[in-house]
Amino acid sequence: MLPKLLLLATTRDRPQIYLERLFNSLAAQENKNFILLLGDQSQNGISDSFLNDYKGKFSFKIVKILPCGLSEARNILLGIAPKGYEWFTLTDDDCYYTPDCFSQFAKYQALEPSAAAFAGNPCETIEDCACSEQSLHSLTCFSAIQKAPSYVLFFRRTAFESVGLFDTCMGIGSNTPWQSGEETDILIRMIVSGFRVYRAKGINVLHDTIFKNPLDTKKIRSYGAGRMFLLVKHKYSIFFCLLNIAYPVIISLPHFFSRGPLSFRVYSHMFWGRLLGYIKLIFMRLKNCKSQKTSLE
């Protein structure tokens, strides 16, 4: 039996074709013991005719919220979410699910009922979703930052509430340079607090690749900066931070042959985003230390 699952999503002027893809995948779920809570930040709102096509196919609720950052929007939605939903997942408005996705989640939850969170398998194509492995792998503070984008994460609400809300200094739309990492921040806080967090490769969630034209170079760089803010926030070693900066350079060569020249541009912008973000954080820390020293004098 699928635990009652809450799907948290926000959308802002996303082309309807992506919402159709998401809604169709939800209507096709084998297990429908879930509700989609969608925060609509679009200027004109989602059309009634579109929503009417899905009434009775699965449970959903559309809430109009003012434009804000993703972390703030998620905190708002959690505050108004219906009670009785033990788990929630972070649904991107441009992701979509395999028909067995939530059934697979239920199997993992039954396999490890004490789990506080699961990280599923991010897929770019249906062919990537071939994995149906049922074994679980514990995540550490180091492995949690690998291949755990928000749309594959499932959180137990009580565990989430015990470590706090999403950090509004992080995430898309925040008024900072740090446009990613808010969901991984929650995973790390859970692990540090002693909760059990697992990778569950049989939970497959699809999302379009970033390796496509035209490249959103600003977004790629801001995501890189967000990664470095996350590492500095949780006091990872300087060596590990430098390794993360170098990683896009290291991996760009094999990806050049498997994905083509476009991958080199993606990893180049990722590298510069991480490097410049880390340098900015160092200067911010030095400035804060200088300010504190001056105030003490």
Side-chain angles (χ1 to χ4, degrees), residues 88-165:
F88 72 91
T89 186
L90 304 175
T91 300
D92 275 6
D93 61 354
D94 58 345
C95 80
Y96 55 111
Y97 300 96
T98 56
D100 68 340
C101 182
F102 299 153
S103 296
Q104 288 293 327
F105 161 70
K107 291 178 183 178
Y108 283 111
Q109 201 277 328
L111 191 64
E112 190 51 70
S114 64
F118 295 104
N121 181 40
C123 308
E124 294 178 1
T125 66
I126 288 293
E127 289 71 26
D128 297 332
C129 298
C131 181
S132 58
E133 181 182 341
Q134 288 299 310
S135 59
L136 290 166
H137 305 279
S138 295
L139 291 180
T140 67
C141 289
F142 293 97
S143 58
I145 66 173
Q146 302 171 356
K147 293 185 178 181
S150 61
Y151 57 88
V152 302
L153 300 182
F154 293 73
F155 294 107
R156 187 185 295 275
R157 287 181 73 172
T158 52
F160 173 87
E161 290 164 0
S162 72
V163 300
L165 298 173

Coordinates of all heavy atoms in Angstrom, one line a residue, residues 88-165:
F88 N 6.3 13.5 1.3 CA 6.1 14.4 0.2 C 7.3 14.3 -0.7 O 8.4 13.9 -0.3 CB 5.9 15.8 0.7 CG 7.1 16.5 1.2 CD1 7.9 17.3 0.4 CD2 7.4 16.5 2.6 CE1 9.0 17.9 0.9 CE2 8.5 17.1 3.1 CZ 9.3 17.8 2.3
T89 N 7.1 14.6 -2.0 CA 8.1 14.6 -3.0 C 8.1 16.0 -3.7 O 7.1 16.7 -3.7 CB 8.0 13.5 -4.0 OG1 9.1 13.5 -4.8 CG2 6.8 13.6 -4.8
L90 N 9.2 16.4 -4.2 CA 9.4 17.7 -4.9 C 9.2 17.5 -6.4 O 10.2 17.1 -7.1 CB 10.8 18.3 -4.6 CG 11.1 18.4 -3.1 CD1 12.5 18.9 -2.8 CD2 10.1 19.4 -2.4
T91 N 8.1 17.8 -6.9 CA 7.8 17.6 -8.3 C 8.1 18.9 -9.1 O 7.6 19.9 -8.8 CB 6.3 17.3 -8.4 OG1 6.0 16.1 -7.7 CG2 5.9 17.1 -9.9
D92 N 9.0 18.7 -10.1 CA 9.3 19.8 -11.0 C 8.1 19.9 -12.0 O 7.6 18.8 -12.4 CB 10.6 19.6 -11.8 CG 11.8 20.1 -11.0 OD1 11.6 20.5 -9.9 OD2 12.9 20.0 -11.6
D93 N 7.8 21.1 -12.5 CA 6.7 21.2 -13.4 C 7.1 20.7 -14.8 O 6.2 20.6 -15.7 CB 6.1 22.6 -13.5 CG 7.1 23.6 -13.9 OD1 8.3 23.3 -14.1 OD2 6.8 24.8 -14.1
D94 N 8.4 20.4 -15.0 CA 8.8 19.8 -16.3 C 9.4 18.4 -16.2 O 10.1 18.0 -17.0 CB 9.8 20.8 -17.0 CG 11.1 21.1 -16.1 OD1 11.0 20.8 -14.9 OD2 12.1 21.6 -16.7
C95 N 9.2 17.8 -15.0 CA 9.5 16.4 -14.9 C 8.3 15.5 -15.2 O 7.2 16.0 -15.3 CB 10.1 16.1 -13.5 SG 8.9 15.9 -12.2
Y96 N 8.5 14.2 -15.2 CA 7.4 13.3 -15.4 C 7.8 11.9 -14.9 O 9.0 11.6 -14.7 CB 6.8 13.2 -16.8 CG 7.8 12.9 -17.9 CD1 7.8 11.7 -18.6 CD2 8.8 13.8 -18.3 CE1 8.7 11.4 -19.6 CE2 9.7 13.5 -19.3 CZ 9.7 12.3 -20.0 OH 10.6 12.0 -20.9
Y97 N 6.8 11.1 -14.6 CA 7.0 9.8 -13.9 C 6.7 8.6 -14.8 O 5.8 8.6 -15.6 CB 6.2 9.8 -12.7 CG 6.4 10.9 -11.7 CD1 5.6 12.1 -11.7 CD2 7.4 10.8 -10.8 CE1 5.9 13.1 -10.8 CE2 7.7 11.9 -9.9 CZ 6.9 13.0 -9.9 OH 7.1 14.0 -9.0
T98 N 7.5 7.5 -14.5 CA 7.1 6.2 -15.1 C 5.9 5.7 -14.4 O 5.6 6.1 -13.2 CB 8.3 5.2 -14.9 OG1 8.6 5.1 -13.5 CG2 9.5 5.6 -15.6
P99 N 5.0 4.9 -15.0 CA 3.8 4.5 -14.4 C 3.9 3.8 -13.1 O 3.0 3.8 -12.2 CB 3.2 3.5 -15.5 CG 3.8 4.0 -16.7 CD 5.1 4.5 -16.4
D100 N 5.1 3.1 -12.8 CA 5.3 2.4 -11.6 C 6.0 3.2 -10.6 O 6.4 2.6 -9.5 CB 6.0 1.1 -11.9 CG 7.4 1.3 -12.3 OD1 7.7 2.4 -12.8 OD2 8.2 0.3 -12.3
C101 N 6.3 4.4 -10.8 CA 7.2 5.2 -9.9 C 6.7 5.2 -8.5 O 7.5 4.8 -7.6 CB 7.2 6.7 -10.4 SG 8.4 7.7 -9.4
F102 N 5.4 5.5 -8.2 CA 5.0 5.6 -6.8 C 4.8 4.2 -6.2 O 4.9 4.1 -5.0 CB 3.7 6.4 -6.7 CG 3.9 7.9 -7.2 CD1 2.8 8.6 -7.7 CD2 5.1 8.5 -7.2 CE1 3.0 9.9 -8.2 CE2 5.3 9.8 -7.6 CZ 4.2 10.5 -8.1
S103 N 4.5 3.2 -7.0 CA 4.4 1.9 -6.5 C 5.8 1.4 -6.1 O 6.0 0.7 -5.1 CB 3.9 0.9 -7.6 OG 2.6 1.2 -8.0
Q104 N 6.8 1.8 -6.9 CA 8.2 1.4 -6.5 C 8.6 2.1 -5.2 O 9.2 1.5 -4.3 CB 9.2 1.8 -7.6 CG 9.1 1.0 -8.8 CD 9.6 -0.4 -8.6 OE1 10.5 -0.7 -7.7 NE2 9.0 -1.4 -9.2
F105 N 8.2 3.4 -5.1 CA 8.5 4.1 -3.8 C 7.8 3.4 -2.6 O 8.5 3.2 -1.6 CB 7.9 5.5 -3.9 CG 7.7 6.2 -2.6 CD1 8.8 6.6 -1.8 CD2 6.4 6.4 -2.0 CE1 8.6 7.1 -0.5 CE2 6.3 7.0 -0.8 CZ 7.3 7.4 0.0
A106 N 6.6 2.9 -2.8 CA 5.9 2.2 -1.7 C 6.7 0.9 -1.3 O 6.8 0.6 -0.1 CB 4.5 1.8 -2.1
K107 N 7.3 0.2 -2.3 CA 8.0 -1.0 -2.0 C 9.3 -0.7 -1.2 O 9.6 -1.4 -0.2 CB 8.4 -1.7 -3.3 CG 7.3 -2.3 -4.1 CD 7.7 -2.9 -5.4 CE 6.6 -3.5 -6.2 NZ 7.0 -4.0 -7.5
Y108 N 9.9 0.4 -1.6 CA 11.1 0.8 -0.8 C 10.8 1.2 0.6 O 11.5 0.9 1.6 CB 11.9 1.9 -1.5 CG 12.7 1.5 -2.7 CD1 12.3 1.8 -4.0 CD2 13.8 0.8 -2.5 CE1 13.0 1.5 -5.1 CE2 14.6 0.4 -3.6 CZ 14.2 0.7 -4.9 OH 14.9 0.3 -6.0
Q109 N 9.7 2.0 0.7 CA 9.3 2.4 2.1 C 8.9 1.2 3.0 O 9.2 1.3 4.1 CB 8.1 3.4 1.9 CG 7.8 4.3 3.1 CD 7.1 3.7 4.2 OE1 6.2 2.8 4.0 NE2 7.4 4.0 5.4
A110 N 8.3 0.2 2.4 CA 8.0 -1.0 3.2 C 9.3 -1.8 3.5 O 9.4 -2.4 4.6 CB 7.1 -1.9 2.4
L111 N 10.3 -1.7 2.6 CA 11.5 -2.4 2.8 C 12.3 -1.7 4.0 O 13.0 -2.4 4.7 CB 12.3 -2.4 1.5 CG 13.6 -3.3 1.5 CD1 13.2 -4.7 1.6 CD2 14.3 -3.0 0.1
E112 N 12.2 -0.4 4.1 CA 12.9 0.3 5.1 C 12.0 1.4 5.7 O 12.1 2.5 5.4 CB 14.2 1.0 4.5 CG 15.1 1.6 5.5 CD 15.5 0.6 6.6 OE1 16.3 -0.3 6.3 OE2 15.1 0.8 7.7
P113 N 11.1 0.9 6.6 CA 10.1 1.8 7.2 C 10.7 2.9 8.1 O 9.9 3.9 8.3 CB 9.2 0.9 8.0 CG 10.0 -0.4 8.3 CD 10.9 -0.5 7.1
S114 N 11.9 2.8 8.5 CA 12.5 3.9 9.3 C 13.2 5.0 8.5 O 13.7 5.9 9.1 CB 13.5 3.2 10.3 OG 14.6 2.7 9.6
A115 N 13.2 4.8 7.2 CA 13.8 5.8 6.4 C 13.2 7.2 6.5 O 12.0 7.3 6.7 CB 13.8 5.4 4.9
A116 N 14.1 8.2 6.5 CA 13.6 9.6 6.5 C 13.5 10.2 5.1 O 12.8 11.2 4.9 CB 14.6 10.5 7.4
A117 N 14.2 9.6 4.2 CA 14.2 10.2 2.8 C 14.8 9.1 1.8 O 15.6 8.3 2.2 CB 15.0 11.4 2.7
F118 N 14.3 9.2 0.6 CA 14.8 8.4 -0.5 C 15.2 9.3 -1.7 O 14.5 10.3 -1.9 CB 13.8 7.4 -1.0 CG 13.4 6.3 0.0 CD1 12.1 6.4 0.6 CD2 14.2 5.3 0.3 CE1 11.8 5.4 1.6 CE2 13.8 4.3 1.2 CZ 12.6 4.4 1.8
A119 N 16.3 8.9 -2.3 CA 16.7 9.6 -3.5 C 16.6 8.6 -4.7 O 17.2 7.6 -4.7 CB 18.1 10.1 -3.4
G120 N 15.7 8.9 -5.6 CA 15.5 8.0 -6.7 C 16.5 8.1 -7.8 O 17.6 8.7 -7.6
N121 N 16.1 7.7 -9.0 CA 17.0 7.6 -10.2 C 16.6 8.6 -11.2 O 15.6 8.5 -11.8 CB 16.9 6.2 -10.8 CG 17.9 6.0 -12.0 OD1 19.0 6.5 -11.9 ND2 17.4 5.3 -13.0
P122 N 17.4 9.7 -11.4 CA 17.1 10.7 -12.4 C 17.4 10.1 -13.8 O 18.4 9.6 -14.1 CB 18.0 11.9 -12.1 CG 19.2 11.2 -11.4 CD 18.7 10.0 -10.7
C123 N 16.4 10.3 -14.7 CA 16.5 9.7 -16.1 C 16.2 10.8 -17.1 O 15.4 11.7 -16.9 CB 15.5 8.6 -16.3 SG 15.5 7.3 -15.0
E124 N 17.0 10.7 -18.2 CA 16.7 11.6 -19.3 C 15.8 11.0 -20.4 O 15.1 11.7 -21.1 CB 18.0 12.0 -19.9 CG 18.9 12.9 -19.0 CD 20.3 13.2 -19.6 OE1 20.5 12.8 -20.8 OE2 21.1 13.9 -19.0
T125 N 15.8 9.7 -20.5 CA 15.0 8.9 -21.4 C 14.4 7.7 -20.8 O 14.9 7.3 -19.7 CB 15.8 8.5 -22.7 OG1 16.8 7.5 -22.3 CG2 16.5 9.7 -23.3
I126 N 13.4 7.1 -21.4 CA 12.8 5.9 -20.9 C 13.9 4.8 -20.8 O 13.9 3.9 -19.9 CB 11.7 5.4 -21.8 CG1 10.5 6.4 -21.7 CG2 11.3 4.0 -21.6 CD1 9.8 6.3 -20.3
E127 N 14.8 4.8 -21.8 CA 15.9 3.8 -21.8 C 16.7 3.9 -20.5 O 17.3 2.8 -20.0 CB 16.8 3.9 -23.0 CG 16.2 3.5 -24.3 CD 15.1 4.5 -24.8 OE1 15.2 5.7 -24.4 OE2 14.2 4.1 -25.5
D128 N 16.9 5.0 -19.9 CA 17.6 5.2 -18.7 C 16.9 4.6 -17.5 O 17.5 4.5 -16.4 CB 17.9 6.7 -18.4 CG 18.7 7.3 -19.5 OD1 19.5 6.6 -20.1 OD2 18.6 8.6 -19.7
C129 N 15.6 4.3 -17.7 CA 14.8 3.9 -16.5 C 14.7 2.3 -16.4 O 13.8 1.8 -15.8 CB 13.3 4.4 -16.7 SG 13.2 6.2 -16.7
A130 N 15.6 1.6 -17.0 CA 15.6 0.2 -17.0 C 15.9 -0.4 -15.7 O 15.5 -1.5 -15.4 CB 16.6 -0.4 -18.0
C131 N 16.5 0.4 -14.8 CA 16.9 -0.1 -13.5 C 15.7 -0.4 -12.6 O 14.8 0.5 -12.4 CB 17.8 0.8 -12.8 SG 18.4 0.3 -11.2
S132 N 15.6 -1.6 -12.1 CA 14.5 -1.9 -11.2 C 15.1 -2.5 -9.9 O 14.4 -3.3 -9.2 CB 13.5 -2.9 -11.8 OG 14.2 -4.1 -12.2
E133 N 16.3 -2.2 -9.6 CA 17.0 -2.7 -8.4 C 16.2 -2.4 -7.2 O 15.8 -1.2 -7.0 CB 18.4 -2.1 -8.4 CG 19.3 -2.6 -7.2 CD 20.6 -1.9 -7.2 OE1 21.0 -1.3 -8.2 OE2 21.2 -1.9 -6.1
Q134 N 16.1 -3.4 -6.3 CA 15.3 -3.2 -5.1 C 16.2 -2.9 -3.9 O 15.7 -2.5 -2.8 CB 14.4 -4.4 -4.8 CG 13.2 -4.5 -5.8 CD 12.3 -3.3 -5.7 OE1 11.9 -2.9 -4.6 NE2 12.0 -2.7 -6.9
S135 N 17.5 -3.1 -4.0 CA 18.3 -2.9 -2.8 C 18.5 -1.4 -2.5 O 18.4 -0.6 -3.4 CB 19.7 -3.5 -3.0 OG 20.3 -3.0 -4.2
L136 N 18.7 -1.1 -1.3 CA 18.9 0.3 -0.8 C 20.4 0.5 -0.5 O 21.1 -0.4 0.0 CB 18.0 0.5 0.4 CG 16.5 0.6 0.1 CD1 15.8 0.5 1.5 CD2 16.1 1.8 -0.6
H137 N 20.8 1.7 -0.7 CA 22.2 2.1 -0.4 C 22.1 3.4 0.5 O 21.5 4.4 0.1 CB 23.0 2.4 -1.7 CG 23.0 1.3 -2.6 ND1 23.8 0.2 -2.5 CD2 22.2 1.0 -3.7 CE1 23.6 -0.7 -3.5 NE2 22.6 -0.2 -4.3
S138 N 22.7 3.3 1.7 CA 22.7 4.5 2.6 C 23.5 5.6 2.0 O 24.6 5.4 1.4 CB 23.3 4.1 3.9 OG 22.5 3.1 4.6
L139 N 23.0 6.8 2.1 CA 23.7 8.0 1.7 C 24.4 8.6 2.8 O 24.0 8.7 4.0 CB 22.7 9.0 1.1 CG 22.0 8.6 -0.2 CD1 21.1 9.7 -0.7 CD2 23.0 8.4 -1.3
T140 N 25.6 9.2 2.5 CA 26.4 9.9 3.5 C 26.4 11.4 3.0 O 25.8 11.8 2.0 CB 27.9 9.4 3.5 OG1 28.5 9.7 2.2 CG2 27.9 7.9 3.7
C141 N 27.0 12.2 3.8 CA 27.1 13.7 3.5 C 27.9 13.9 2.2 O 27.7 14.9 1.6 CB 27.8 14.4 4.6 SG 26.8 14.6 6.1
F142 N 28.7 12.9 1.8 CA 29.4 13.0 0.5 C 28.6 12.4 -0.7 O 28.5 13.1 -1.7 CB 30.8 12.3 0.6 CG 31.7 13.0 1.6 CD1 31.8 12.5 2.9 CD2 32.4 14.1 1.2 CE1 32.6 13.2 3.8 CE2 33.3 14.8 2.1 CZ 33.4 14.3 3.4
S143 N 28.0 11.3 -0.5 CA 27.3 10.7 -1.6 C 25.9 11.4 -1.8 O 25.4 11.3 -2.9 CB 27.1 9.2 -1.4 OG 26.4 8.9 -0.2
A144 N 25.4 12.1 -0.8 CA 24.1 12.8 -1.0 C 24.2 13.9 -2.0 O 23.1 14.3 -2.5 CB 23.7 13.3 0.4
I145 N 25.4 14.4 -2.3 CA 25.4 15.5 -3.3 C 25.6 15.0 -4.7 O 25.7 15.8 -5.6 CB 26.6 16.5 -2.9 CG1 27.9 15.8 -3.1 CG2 26.4 17.1 -1.5 CD1 29.1 16.8 -2.9
Q146 N 25.6 13.7 -4.9 CA 25.7 13.2 -6.2 C 24.4 12.6 -6.7 O 23.8 11.8 -6.1 CB 26.8 12.0 -6.2 CG 28.1 12.4 -5.7 CD 29.1 11.2 -5.5 OE1 28.6 10.1 -5.7 NE2 30.3 11.5 -5.2
K147 N 24.0 13.1 -7.9 CA 22.8 12.6 -8.6 C 21.6 12.6 -7.7 O 20.9 11.6 -7.6 CB 23.1 11.3 -9.2 CG 24.1 11.3 -10.3 CD 24.2 9.9 -11.0 CE 25.2 9.9 -12.1 NZ 25.3 8.6 -12.8
A148 N 21.3 13.7 -7.0 CA 20.1 13.8 -6.1 C 19.4 15.1 -6.4 O 19.2 15.9 -5.4 CB 20.5 13.6 -4.7
P149 N 19.0 15.4 -7.6 CA 18.2 16.6 -7.9 C 16.9 16.5 -7.2 O 16.4 15.5 -6.8 CB 18.1 16.6 -9.4 CG 18.2 15.1 -9.8 CD 19.2 14.5 -8.8
S150 N 16.3 17.7 -7.0 CA 15.1 17.8 -6.2 C 14.0 16.8 -6.7 O 13.2 16.3 -5.8 CB 14.6 19.2 -6.2 OG 14.2 19.6 -7.5
Y151 N 13.8 16.7 -8.0 CA 12.7 15.9 -8.5 C 12.7 14.4 -8.2 O 11.7 13.7 -8.5 CB 12.4 16.2 -10.0 CG 13.6 15.9 -10.8 CD1 13.8 14.6 -11.4 CD2 14.6 16.8 -11.2 CE1 14.9 14.3 -12.2 CE2 15.7 16.6 -12.0 CZ 15.8 15.3 -12.5 OH 16.9 15.0 -13.3
V152 N 13.8 13.9 -7.7 CA 13.9 12.5 -7.3 C 13.8 12.2 -5.8 O 13.9 11.1 -5.4 CB 15.1 11.8 -7.9 CG1 15.2 11.9 -9.4 CG2 16.4 12.3 -7.2
L153 N 13.6 13.3 -5.0 CA 13.7 13.2 -3.6 C 12.3 13.0 -3.0 O 11.3 13.7 -3.3 CB 14.3 14.4 -3.0 CG 15.8 14.7 -3.4 CD1 16.3 15.9 -2.7 CD2 16.7 13.5 -3.2
F154 N 12.2 12.1 -2.0 CA 11.0 11.8 -1.2 C 11.4 12.0 0.2 O 12.3 11.3 0.7 CB 10.5 10.4 -1.5 CG 10.0 10.1 -2.9 CD1 10.9 10.0 -4.0 CD2 8.6 10.0 -3.2 CE1 10.4 9.8 -5.3 CE2 8.2 9.8 -4.5 CZ 9.1 9.7 -5.5
F155 N 10.6 12.8 0.9 CA 10.9 13.1 2.3 C 9.8 12.7 3.3 O 8.6 12.9 2.9 CB 11.1 14.6 2.5 CG 12.3 15.2 1.8 CD1 12.1 16.0 0.7 CD2 13.6 15.0 2.3 CE1 13.2 16.5 0.0 CE2 14.7 15.5 1.6 CZ 14.5 16.3 0.5
R156 N 10.1 12.1 4.4 CA 9.2 11.9 5.5 C 8.9 13.3 6.2 O 9.8 13.9 6.6 CB 9.7 10.9 6.5 CG 8.6 10.5 7.5 CD 9.2 9.6 8.6 NE 9.6 8.3 8.0 CZ 8.8 7.2 7.8 NH1 7.5 7.3 8.2 NH2 9.3 6.1 7.3
R157 N 7.7 13.7 6.2 CA 7.3 15.0 6.7 C 7.8 15.3 8.1 O 8.3 16.4 8.4 CB 5.9 15.3 6.6 CG 5.4 15.5 5.2 CD 3.9 15.8 5.1 NE 3.6 17.1 5.5 CZ 2.4 17.7 5.4 NH1 1.4 17.0 4.8 NH2 2.1 18.9 5.8
T158 N 7.7 14.3 9.0 CA 8.1 14.5 10.4 C 9.6 14.7 10.5 O 10.1 15.5 11.3 CB 7.7 13.3 11.3 OG1 8.2 12.1 10.7 CG2 6.2 13.3 11.5
A159 N 10.4 14.0 9.7 CA 11.9 14.1 9.7 C 12.2 15.5 9.1 O 13.1 16.2 9.6 CB 12.5 13.0 8.9
F160 N 11.5 15.9 8.0 CA 11.8 17.2 7.4 C 11.5 18.3 8.4 O 12.3 19.3 8.6 CB 10.9 17.4 6.2 CG 11.0 18.7 5.5 CD1 11.9 19.0 4.6 CD2 10.0 19.7 5.9 CE1 12.0 20.3 4.1 CE2 10.1 21.0 5.3 CZ 11.1 21.3 4.4
E161 N 10.4 18.3 9.1 CA 10.0 19.3 10.0 C 11.0 19.4 11.2 O 11.2 20.5 11.7 CB 8.6 19.1 10.5 CG 7.5 19.3 9.4 CD 6.2 18.7 9.8 OE1 6.0 18.1 10.9 OE2 5.2 18.8 9.0
S162 N 11.6 18.3 11.5 CA 12.6 18.4 12.6 C 13.9 19.0 12.3 O 14.6 19.5 13.2 CB 12.8 16.9 13.2 OG 13.6 16.2 12.2
V163 N 14.2 19.1 11.0 CA 15.5 19.8 10.6 C 15.3 21.2 10.0 O 16.2 21.9 9.7 CB 16.3 18.9 9.6 CG1 16.6 17.6 10.2 CG2 15.5 18.8 8.3
G164 N 14.0 21.6 9.9 CA 13.7 23.0 9.5 C 13.2 23.0 8.0 O 13.2 22.1 7.3
L165 N 12.9 24.2 7.6 CA 12.3 24.5 6.3 C 13.5 24.7 5.3 O 14.6 24.6 5.6 CB 11.4 25.7 6.3 CG 10.2 25.7 7.2 CD1 9.5 27.0 7.3 CD2 9.2 24.6 6.7

